[in-house]
């Protein structure tokens, strides 16, 4: 992500100013990172045919292409927005999966190793979305942390750089957020080891 950060910002500004070819130049710069993130989801998938990495990134591409009125000021804003769109794609996928299966034979695929109690394509990710909407009303910064770290797959260091905070702040805030989200998704359960 570091190598092309200036070029990404320049292309975003050109895209904002209405130059459609800027988007076509931008995607090859960001595609490798977005593809890595999507591939990480597929690697954790027990049934890889359910959602392929390429499909996830291409759906993200199509949705970004339709966002010609969105103002993305810089690299941080772009990756935050991409994380939000990827979250929405996974939520839509979970809704479709739940509508088709209604609980029968659902494969459990954790969204992240840090959130093992949230499965892609399950009711838990829908509950997580509701909890994130609640958190958004309280503290939008904390939702950005979750989206960058768990939905976009940024490392703690990359997340800290994008949000202009220290890695220690990211680690501390995410520890709190994981516990808070778990309590919202499972209000009757005790705190999981992974949320501590």
């Amino acid at each position: 992500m570091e190598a092309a950060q200036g070029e990404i910002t320049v292309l975003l500004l050109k895209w904002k100013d209405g130059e459609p070819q800027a988007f076509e130049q931008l995607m090859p710069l960001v595609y490798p990172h977005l593809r890595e993130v999507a591939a990480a989801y597929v690697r954790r998938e027990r049934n890889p045919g359910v959602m392929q990495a390429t499909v996830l990134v291409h759906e993200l591409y199509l949705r970004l292409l339709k966002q010609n009125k969105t103002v993305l000021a810089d690299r941080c804003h772009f990756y935050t927005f991409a994380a939000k769109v990827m979250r929405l794609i996974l939520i839509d996928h979970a809704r479709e999966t739940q509508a088709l299966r209604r609980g029968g034979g659902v494969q459990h695929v954790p969204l992240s190793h840090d959130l093992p109690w949230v499965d892609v394509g399950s009711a838990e990710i829908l509950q997580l979305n509701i909890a994130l909407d609640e958190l958004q009303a309280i503290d939008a910064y904390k939702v950005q942390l979750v989206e960058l770290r768990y939905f976009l797959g940024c490392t703690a260091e990359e997340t800290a750089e994008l949000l202009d905070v220290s890695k220690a702040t990211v680690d501390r805030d995410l520890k709190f957020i994981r516990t808070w989200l778990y309590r919202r998704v499972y209000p009757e359960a005790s705190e999981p080891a992974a949320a501590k």
Side-chain angles (χ1 to χ4, degrees), residues 30-43:
V30 297
Y31 186 87
H33 179 70
L34 297 174
R35 179 71 170 76
E36 264 180 43
V37 171
Y41 287 120
V42 172
R43 277 193 300 274

Side-chain angles (χ1 to χ4, degrees), residues 15-18 63-72 77 81:
W15 185 33
K16 179 182 94 172
D17 291 340
R63 291 194 189 189
L64 288 174
L65 192 57
K66 293 177 187 175
Q67 299 297 324
N68 57 355
K69 299 219 185 317
T70 302
V71 177
L72 301 170
H77 195 191
F81 185 74

Side-chain angles (χ1 to χ4, degrees), residues 1-9 12 15 26-35 37 60 64 72-87 143-149 151-154 158-159 161-163:
M1 282 184 1
E2 252 179 70
Q5 67 185 33
E7 193 173 353
I8 290 171
T9 300
L12 286 169
W15 185 33
L26 172 68
M27 288 316 291
L29 295 175
V30 297
Y31 186 87
H33 179 70
L34 297 174
R35 179 71 170 76
V37 171
L60 174 64
L64 288 174
L72 301 170
D74 57 22
R75 182 176 62 100
C76 175
H77 195 191
F78 173 79
Y79 280 120
T80 302
F81 185 74
K84 188 172 290 296
V85 173
M86 195 172 280
R87 173 181 157 202
V143 175
Q144 274 188 310
L145 280 175
V146 171
E147 289 173 338
L148 288 171
R149 185 76 178 91
F151 286 91
L152 193 58
C154 293
E158 290 169 335
T159 302
E161 179 191 341
L162 287 169
L163 296 177

